[in-house]
Structure formats: C-alpha cells, structure tokens
Amino acid sequence: MEKYYLTTAIDYANAAPHIGHAYEKLAADIIARYQRKSGRDVFFLTGTDEHGSKIEETARLAGRETAEFVDEMVAKFEQAWKSLLISNDRFIRTTDASHQKVVQEVFRKMREKGDIYKGSYEGLYCEGCEDYLRERDLVDGMCANHKRAPKKMKEENYFFALTKYKDPLRKWLAQESVVRPDGRRREVLNQLEDEDFGDLSVSRPVTSLKWGIPVPDDPEHVIYVWIDALTNYITGVGYLDDQETFKKYWPADLHLIGKDIVKFHSIYWPAMLMACDIPLPKLVFGHGFITVEGQKMSKTLGNIIDPIALVDLYGADAIRYFLFAANSFDQDGDFSKADFMNIVNSHLANGLGNLLNRTLTQVQKNFGDKVPNGTVNADCLKLAQEAEVRYHASMQNFEFAKAIEAARSIVDEANKYLNDKQPWSLLKQGKQENNEEKIAQAGEVLLTSLELLKRAAVLLAPVIPTLANKIWDQLGFDGDITDVQFTDPAVVNIIPTGQALRNKGPIFQRLEDPVDPAVPA
Ligand code: MSP
C-alpha cells in the first residue's frame, strides 16, 4: 500500500481555536479522507505549539500557571477537532516528553555538524509571529500582521548557520513541485536573495524566556520556538522512538500550512533537515486566510468565530461543506452567514437532500422499496463518469471547490433527468392504462437517479462524511461510507437490482436563522 503522510501547522495554544484554524484542519481532513478512499495508507498529524514567549506572557497576564493554562487550551482544540469530525491519526503536543527529546537531538545534530555557534542578537522581535523582524518590515512602527510594536532585544543567543544552506535551498526551491501555490514559492526564492538574509538565532536566554526546551548541555538557554515547533513533523511519525514508523512515513507528502508561515516551512525547516541529513518533505502548500464577513478576525472587532459553537448550531457537515464549496483554497476566503445559509440550503437541502427524498419516496411507493430492475441511462452515466474524472483531478490539486462542483454536477444532472422524464407521471399513466412498459420506464429513471446519488455520495464523503453516510445507508448499503474505497465493486458497479432501500426521511433539515451569539449577523 502506498503511504501518504500529511501534517497541518500546529496551533499556538495561547487562545481557543477559531474558524481559521478549523479551516486548515478541515482541509487536511478532506485530503486524508480522500487519500484513504484512494487506497493509501494515510498518516494524518495535527497538534499544538505550546512553548515560546507569546504563551508564557498570555498565561502570566491571565494569572495562570503556564502548564495548566496550555492544558486547558489544548483540550479546547481537541474538542473542536472532534466535533468537526477531524480524523487525525495523532495529536502531538510540543510539551510531550517524546517531542522534547527529539528537539534536543535535532539541536545536537546541528551542533555536531558545526552549524551552531554562539553570538549576540540585537534587533526586533514580534511575539505574535515569534519572529525576528527588520525595521523595513514594520508599518507605522508595528508588526504588519499583529498590529503591535515589536520588542527591542539584545541577547546572547545560539545561531544556526542558515546561510551555509543558501545554495542547496535555491536548488530545492527551483523545483516547482515543492512549494505551492507557485507565487508563494517565488516569494520564498526572493527572500533567499534578500540582502538581509542571514543566520538564524535559535535560542533565547532563560533570563528572558523560561517556557521552552533547554538547549542540550546549556540549561541557561532554551531552544527557539520555531525550531521546536517544526520538529514536530518528525516526532509525529516516530523519529528516535519508532524507526519502523519513521521509515515508513517520512518524508512527509504534504505540509499543509497558512500563507503567513511559508518562510518557516520552506527555508528554515528544509535547512534544519539538511543539517540533520534527513530527507526533505515532498510538498509545502500555503493556503489562503479566512475572513469573517469580509473582515480579519480580531478580539477588538469581537468577530472571532468559535468552531465548537458553530457545530452546535449547524452540525459539522454544513460548515465543512460551505467552507470548501464557497472558497478557493489557495486564495483568501470568507465566512459570511448569509452565504453560508444560502449555499448550504440550496446545495444540501434543495439539491442533494431533495433528490434523495423524492427518488426514495417513489421507489418505496411503487417498487416495494427495492432498487428497480433495468439499465441506467447511458448519457447520465457518462456525464457522471466525466464528473468523476474532473473531481479526482481537482482533489489531487487541492481545488476543493472545483471537486465539490464536479460532484454537484452529478446531483444536478439527476434532478434534471427526473424533471425531464417525470417518473411519477409515467407511473400514474402506467397504472391507469395498465401499461407495464411505462412502469418499467419509470423504474429505469429511478434506478438512474439512485446510481447517480450513490456516485455523488461517494465523491462527497470526504467533505460531508455524516450526510454521505446517511445516503449510503438509505440506498441500502451496509457499513460506513468512510471505509469505502473508490475502486470498490459497490462504487464501480451499478447499484444492484432488488437491493432493499431504507427510506428514513430527509437527511438534511434546512438551516434556519437562530438568534446566534457565535456568528455575527
Ligand atoms: N504555531 C505556529 C505554526 C507552527 S507549525 C510548525 C502558528 N500557529 S497559529 O496558531 O498562529 O496558526 C496555525 C495555522 O492556522 C497556521 O497555518 C495559520 O496560517 C493558520 N491560520 C491562522 N489564522 C487563519 C485564518 N484566519 N484563516 C486560515 N488559516 C489561518 O502559526
């Protein structure tokens, strides 16, 4: 079995998760579910980034003990991912003992390679980014991302000889396949050529930061939080602890991250791996950001959406569906309540749900609740198969909106076909005229609709696992659709004549507009 190892960014545990964090984990989940359906042995890693000055400071301001504070935040992330049906294989915490050991080993290896030296750093540091900034990065004296003034720092640090890896990094980044979208790859290539491109400070003295992993053999310093965090990708698959798992899954097939942290993943991380003689990941993909009603989320605006509250109101599938049907993954996207309601009601309630409902009702009334005999309409089947080809190409290219559109075209086709052929009229006439042929024709129309429904459900299962499984069940298939692969006979062959259906009523209730504190009007 071919393996597929994918990771998400690990979220800072300084606050509860928001819909932007959820967007990334959901995208990774869709990919993981898609790859499993494609027959791959998938390992899906996500987790939390728990060290560094931002977290130490947030806990201090809250009057809390840091370890206890992060435990509380991490529980919220785990709960959110559970309620959104994220199917990760491991949840890693950078405070895990197994991880701390790997980070120290990575530091040691870089030192043995002669790539670590002691120096002093004088400059600016943004705690929001956990990054060193230059004067020219500032807008009105503030960090452009976090809208706050960076701290002036003068410290003794250990440095990593990043500049030594400029040439190999150039060569690696020259391959179009390694960082996507391509615009972000070119951005990183430009950063390499920047006149300020220099070595990287990779530690902080304990006098300024305690909440971190100690530098091996020098307890007066802790390791820089990004060195710590990036290393999670190898800890996650057993580096040091479980050589067999590591050999099986590394290198990662995909590091899925947001556009703001591409530099760390495409310059620092590959350089660290080169220093440790570990193979480089196959792909870093930097997705766009989600805004809320067109605005960046912020505490000041009070527009931060809590994904758990959203699931409580609308269910996981509706949120999963909307985020990826309505936004292009490589670009910035938006969560707007009106669009959310419209799209979900139109696509899931009116489109998919209604198709299932009217097809099953007719079969139940007229064909003993069993799949009718006959042949699936050849044109409809051909259109569905063409849509499947488009779906797979889009999924493999992380174009989720296009993939969903392809699946939806099958639903539209079936709805249109029912409207054109009017099986209910054929049935009425057939019964009145005692015309077996008309009844058989109606049966073929309904059979076609059932087959198209099955195909659409299989394609949509990575996005809306609960709804897709309800369709699968009502069509009379046993087992969970999540465990079904694209090449399984039940998927490839026409739905068997005589299979008992299980009409259990509408699978999706139209969303109504509740008085809703979690989603700004
Ligand atoms: N801890 C670092 C990542 C370390 S990975 C070795 C970090 N954490 S974060 O909590 O700030 O962000 C986690 C992920 O969420 C990042 O990939 C980031 O780009 C993404 N997003 C944060 N806000 C987002 C949106 N509004 N929309 C989409 N993704 C967003 O960076």
Side-chain angles (χ1 to χ4, degrees):
M1 227 187 195
E2 212 181 319
K3 66 91 185 175
Y4 192 89
Y5 174 35
L6 79 159
T7 66
T8 67
I10 49 172
D11 305 308
Y12 287 125
N14 65 319
H18 59 57
I19 198 166
H21 301 126
Y23 183 61
E24 179 178 284
K25 277 60 191 177
L26 285 171
D29 185 62
I30 291 172
I31 299 167
R33 287 171 184 269
Y34 174 80
Q35 291 294 344
R36 290 188 196 110
K37 282 205 164 331
S38 305
R40 304 250 153 72
D41 173 353
V42 171
F43 196 96
F44 170 14
L45 179 73
T46 190
T48 39
D49 188 354
E50 303 181 26
H51 292 124
S53 34
K54 171 160 53 185
I55 288 169
E56 188 179 67
E57 181 68 3
T58 316
R60 192 184 64 78
L61 289 175
R64 303 281 301 278
E65 203 252 312
T66 322
E68 183 197 286
F69 175 77
V70 291
D71 280 351
E72 189 182 306
M73 291 304 141
V74 170
K76 293 186 188 187
F77 278 93
E78 291 190 278
Q79 191 199 341
W81 301 165
K82 199 169 163 216
S83 63
L84 281 163
L85 311 175
I86 307 287
S87 62
N88 53 299
D89 295 287
R90 177 167 176 186
F91 188 95
I92 190 166
R93 301 183 54 176
T94 54
T95 48
D96 289 344
S98 62
H99 175 67
Q100 309 213 28
K101 205 172 71 184
V102 176
V103 173
Q104 289 187 322
E105 177 63 14
V106 163
F107 197 94
R108 230 177 252 121
K109 282 205 158 173
M110 296 189 337
R111 193 165 59 193
E112 278 162 20
K113 194 76 174 247
D115 290 348
I116 298 277
Y117 61 91
K118 224 172 188 173
S120 80
Y121 174 82
E122 185 168 0
L124 303 171
Y125 190 81
C126 172
E127 282 189 348
C129 304
E130 296 283 10
D131 195 9
Y132 303 91
L133 303 186
R134 301 161 303 187
E135 285 288 346
R136 63 187 166 94
D137 296 324
L138 307 183
V139 180
D140 298 330
M142 314 253 215
C143 161
N145 278 337
H146 295 92
K147 309 274 182 272
R148 59 171 139 145
K151 284 192 174 159
K152 284 206 166 67
M153 273 189 358
K154 191 173 177 198
E155 290 180 348
E156 273 269 288
N157 295 143
Y158 285 97
F159 280 78
F160 169 51
L162 183 61
T163 43
K164 195 175 137 185
Y165 293 93
K166 196 163 163 177
D167 257 346
L169 282 169
R170 250 192 219 121
K171 274 195 199 117
W172 185 65
L173 286 164
Q175 307 166 80
E176 283 188 4
S177 58
V178 295
V179 176
R180 289 174 54 194
D182 201 52
R184 305 209 205 283
R185 180 183 67 92
R186 279 183 270 121
E187 228 171 88
V188 185
L189 267 172
N190 286 338
Q191 286 169 358
L192 268 190
E193 303 310 329
D194 198 295
E195 54 182 4
D196 292 336
F197 182 79
D199 289 345
L200 177 68
S201 159
V202 288
S203 70
R204 307 282 313 272
V206 282
T207 45
S208 33
L209 172 69
K210 289 188 181 54
W211 187 241
I213 301 175
V215 166
D217 313 316
D218 188 351
E220 293 310 305
H221 294 262
V222 297
I223 296 173
Y224 174 41
V225 65
W226 270 101
I227 299 289
D228 169 351
L230 289 161
T231 302
N232 94 85
Y233 300 133
I234 55 173
T235 312
V237 281
Y239 186 71
L240 292 189
D241 267 357
D242 178 356
Q243 275 314 302
E244 204 180 307
T245 304
F246 186 69
K247 247 180 90 183
K248 179 164 166 198
Y249 290 109
W250 191 261
D253 294 86
L254 170 65
H255 288 319
L256 194 64
I257 52 158
K259 62 176 185 179
D260 57 329
I261 54 174
V262 176
K263 173 183 78 178
F264 301 94
H265 286 78
S266 312
I267 296 182
Y268 302 168
W269 179 229
M272 286 166 63
L273 290 168
M274 287 176 195
C276 296
D277 298 311
I278 299 172
L280 305 195
K282 293 189 188 153
L283 171 63
V284 172
F285 190 100
H287 60 76
F289 262 44
I290 284 289
T291 51
V292 172
E293 308 289 346
Q295 283 185 302
K296 194 173 163 179
M297 276 176 278
S298 78
K299 271 194 196 148
T300 338
L301 286 177
N303 63 347
I304 298 177
I305 295 190
D306 167 7
I308 300 177
L310 211 56
V311 174
D312 287 347
L313 285 169
Y314 304 111
D317 282 44
I319 301 156
R320 295 173 64 108
Y321 185 84
F322 171 75
L323 283 173
F324 296 96
N327 296 299
S328 288
F329 189 54
D330 59 341
Q331 291 159 29
D332 288 345
D334 189 47
F335 182 92
S336 120
K337 190 167 168 185
D339 288 351
F340 170 62
M341 297 287 217
N342 284 341
I343 289 192
V344 162
N345 281 339
S346 139
H347 295 195
L348 298 183
N350 301 353
L352 188 63
N354 191 31
L355 174 67
L356 180 74
N357 206 24
R358 60 186 186 145
T359 307
L360 289 189
T361 309
Q362 295 290 324
V363 177
Q364 193 169 23
K365 273 200 215 146
N366 301 288
F367 295 93
D369 217 5
K370 293 208 163 82
V371 176
N373 195 4
T375 314
V376 170
N377 177 276
D379 290 338
C380 287
L381 189 61
K382 187 161 164 265
L383 281 171
Q385 284 163 339
E386 285 165 2
E388 283 164 0
V389 173
R390 291 201 304 280
Y391 166 89
H392 288 294
S394 304
M395 273 294 196
Q396 284 155 20
N397 217 15
F398 312 111
E399 295 177 302
F400 306 118
K402 281 192 187 163
I404 292 171
E405 182 54 40
R408 214 162 72 80
S409 73
I410 300 178
V411 177
D412 285 351
E413 176 62 25
N415 267 321
K416 200 166 127 265
Y417 186 61
L418 284 187
N419 291 345
D420 286 351
K421 297 290 172 196
Q422 309 235 342
W424 46 90
S425 307
L426 286 169
L427 285 162
K428 199 169 161 195
Q429 289 166 18
K431 278 182 197 155
Q432 278 168 357
E433 298 163 13
N434 221 346
N435 183 336
E436 287 296 324
E437 205 177 309
K438 280 193 174 159
I439 293 177
Q441 274 172 18
E444 290 210 332
V445 176
L446 293 168
L447 166 70
T448 300
S449 178
L450 291 170
E451 176 63 17
L452 297 192
L453 266 163
K454 179 198 80 183
R455 286 176 185 257
V458 171
L459 302 191
L460 287 170
V463 184
I464 45 171
T466 314
L467 282 180
N469 195 45
K470 282 187 180 166
I471 300 174
W472 188 248
D473 172 50
Q474 296 205 16
L475 292 179
F477 291 100
D478 294 328
D480 195 311
I481 197 168
T482 297
D483 306 323
V484 166
Q485 298 195 355
F486 293 122
T487 51
D488 283 351
V491 176
V492 180
N493 300 336
I494 302 300
I495 186 167
T497 295
Q499 174 158 296
L501 304 179
R502 307 177 184 122
N503 188 358
K504 294 173 183 167
I507 51 163
F508 188 80
Q509 297 296 337
R510 281 181 68 80
L511 300 184
E512 300 299 336
D513 198 357
V515 179
D516 165 9
V519 187

